[in-house]
């Protein structure tokens, strides 16, 4: 169960359902003087550290909410090819053997069960994210804003 929650956490961050939050983070990142062009209405130093953290927390919270509404429902994983959980690599040879023996239904049931378990875990993962977001430090916020695209996942 912990692995499924961990998987759900990772998917929440990288899911296309949260795609809009990255644009919001990029805007905030520009105010930190990351070298990109700064919007005319906001200059580096305009926002206090508290405002930066508040904005990032709000953006992350909105991303989590969007992911929960998209993934934490029936067929949220299974019905979305971008996040659908396939047979794990270690078990692919077993799945191939079962398919070769005409037992596709067993493999399909296994995949369905994994995906439905992930859908059920999403609301639990959302609570974990909410706690992590509320306790985020300035250093962590800067790391996400100025880091690579997968900084939030890291």
């Amino acid at each position: 169960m912990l692995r499924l929650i961990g998987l759900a956490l990772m998917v929440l961050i990288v899911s296309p359902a949260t795609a809009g939050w990255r644009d919001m983070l990029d805007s905030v990142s520009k105010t930190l003087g990351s070298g990109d062009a700064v919007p005319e209405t906001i200059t580096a130093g305009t926002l206090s550290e508290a405002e930066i953290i508040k904005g990032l927390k709000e953006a992350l919270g909105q991303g989590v909410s969007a992911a929960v509404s998209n993934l934490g429902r029936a067929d949220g994983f299974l019905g979305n090819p971008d996040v659908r959980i396939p047979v794990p690599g270690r078990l692919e040879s077993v799945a191939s053997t079962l398919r070769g023996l005409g037992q596709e239904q067993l493999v399909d049931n296994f995949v369905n069960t994994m995906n439905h378990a992930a859908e059920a875990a999403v609301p639990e993962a959302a609570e974990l994210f909410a706690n992590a977001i509320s306790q985020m430090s300035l250093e962590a916020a800067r790391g996400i804003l100025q880091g690579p695209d997968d900084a939030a996942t890291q």
Side-chain angles (χ1 to χ4, degrees):
M1 184 63 170
L2 289 176
R3 286 185 180 174
L4 286 177
I5 291 174
L7 177 62
L9 290 171
M10 289 189 308
V11 172
L12 286 172
I13 289 295
V14 299
S15 168
T18 63
W21 74 272
R22 185 66 188 177
D23 294 335
M24 198 179 309
L25 292 180
D26 288 342
S27 293
V28 175
S29 178
K30 289 177 184 175
T31 67
L32 294 175
S34 62
D36 294 331
V38 177
E40 289 180 33
T41 57
I42 300 175
T43 60
T46 300
L47 297 178
S48 69
E49 291 181 354
E51 290 170 319
I52 292 168
I53 292 175
K54 181 180 176 188
L56 177 63
K57 287 180 179 184
E58 186 175 319
L60 289 171
Q62 288 175 4
V64 168
S65 293
V68 167
S69 67
N70 286 308
L71 299 174
R73 60 180 171 78
D75 292 332
F77 279 82
L78 197 58
N80 184 339
D82 291 331
V83 295
R84 185 175 191 263
I85 303 168
V87 173
R90 290 184 187 172
L91 298 178
E92 188 56 50
S93 62
V94 174
S96 293
T97 301
L98 287 171
R99 286 186 184 109
L101 295 172
Q103 299 297 313
E104 296 90 1
Q105 187 173 1
L106 286 175
V107 176
D108 291 343
N109 286 343
F110 176 66
V111 169
N112 290 344
T113 300
M114 283 191 308
N115 282 274
H116 292 310
E119 292 158 5
V122 167
E124 298 295 325
E127 186 176 329
L128 296 173
F129 267 114
N131 290 336
I133 290 168
S134 71
Q135 297 174 16
M136 183 181 301
S137 68
L138 176 62
E139 285 182 27
R142 284 183 191 265
I144 290 171
L145 291 172
Q146 296 175 338
D149 287 344
D150 64 347
T153 306
Q154 292 178 21

